[in-house]
Amino acid sequence: MPRYLGYTLGDESVPVPPPSPDLMQRMGEFVEEATKAGVLVMTGGIGPTAMGAKVTLADGEFSVVDGPFAEAKELIGGWALTECRDLDEAVEWTKRFLAVLGEGEARVRPVF
């Protein structure tokens, strides 16, 4: 079964309040439904760039720069790995996810 990575984008310059208890409950119900349907493989959030590092290989040498990464304009905020029949099904599950999360954007890409 093809796998798809769905992810949301974030902007570290815009403060995001913690999720409300109502949103956490609705998201938990959505995750449970997607898991029982056999679609959701794994999901998670990604911490701020200040907690990460950028690793580069150039001319055979590695360089490591600790975050934050001020040059980043769009960052992945959260992600979900799904197994769906095709992209259309992955898009439908993503629509349902956004309906729970609220207005915003999510992107879906196949995983090879």
Side-chain angles (χ1 to χ4, degrees):
M1 175 98 50
R3 287 187 167 188
Y4 295 89
L5 181 67
Y7 56 95
T8 58
L9 300 176
D11 181 345
E12 290 186 319
S13 68
V14 179
V16 177
S20 69
D22 178 58
L23 175 58
M24 292 297 290
Q25 179 179 347
R26 289 184 292 121
M27 191 59 69
E29 291 168 358
F30 173 77
V31 167
E32 183 177 342
E33 181 183 356
T35 301
K36 284 182 179 176
V39 171
L40 185 61
V41 176
M42 183 180 275
T43 186
I46 296 179
T49 62
M51 298 171 65
K54 179 170 58 177
V55 181
T56 304
L57 174 63
D59 298 325
E61 297 289 328
F62 287 102
S63 65
V64 179
V65 177
D66 291 336
F69 312 122
E71 73 276 9
K73 295 187 190 272
E74 291 184 331
L75 301 168
I76 296 174
W79 58 272
L81 181 63
T82 60
E83 287 184 335
C84 298
R85 290 184 305 275
D86 52 30
L87 180 60
D88 289 341
E89 183 182 18
V91 168
E92 286 305 313
W93 278 100
T94 302
K95 288 179 179 176
R96 295 178 64 184
F97 165 75
L98 281 177
V100 172
L101 182 64
E103 291 191 14
E105 177 181 311
R107 298 180 185 183
V108 181
R109 297 172 60 185
V111 176
F112 302 110

